[in-house]
């Protein structure tokens, strides 16, 4: 995984917190993974919603994310195309 993240950083810019040393040394990657084992991770993905969409479930989920404090900029977003 570390090697894949390094490759994506090389392609898209510094998106993932990973070092080349982790990619070269599995033991170093394992050590870091153990330190992060208790970290909360939410698996999210993005949906493009056109204005006037009838798929309100995603609109409501986006509002819930804002209200939960994960992304406060989404609290008052009502139009699908604004994010």
């Amino acid at each position: 995984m570390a090697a894949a993240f390094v490759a994506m950083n090389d392609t898209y810019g510094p998106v993932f917190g990973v070092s080349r040393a982790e990619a070269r040394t599995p033991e170093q990657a394992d050590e870091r993974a153990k330190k992060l084992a208790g970290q909360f991770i939410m698996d999210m993905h993005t949906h493009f919603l056109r204005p006037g969409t009838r798929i309100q479930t995603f609109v409501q989920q986006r509002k819930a994310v804002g209200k939960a404090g994960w992304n406060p900029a989404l609290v008052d977003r009502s139009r699908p195309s604004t994010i």
Side-chain angles (χ1 to χ4, degrees):
M1 284 305 302
F5 289 145
V6 167
M8 286 190 281
N9 281 347
D10 287 348
T11 303
Y12 303 110
V15 177
F16 300 98
V18 64
S19 70
R20 292 187 181 283
E22 287 178 81
R24 282 191 304 269
T25 312
E27 294 80 17
Q28 189 172 352
D30 288 343
E31 183 179 324
R32 183 165 184 231
K34 287 176 188 172
K35 289 179 185 176
L36 298 173
Q39 185 179 37
F40 174 76
I41 298 173
M42 180 177 287
D43 183 11
M44 301 292 291
H45 56 278
T46 304
H47 294 274
F48 173 80
L49 301 174
R50 298 186 188 284
T53 183
R54 295 186 307 188
I55 307 173
Q56 291 300 303
T57 303
F58 293 129
V59 174
Q60 296 306 318
Q61 288 173 343
R62 183 176 62 197
K63 287 180 185 178
V65 165
K67 289 178 183 175
W70 296 327
N71 187 344
L74 298 178
V75 173
D76 296 319
R77 300 290 182 145
S78 60
R79 292 188 57 224
S81 62
T82 57
I83 294 291

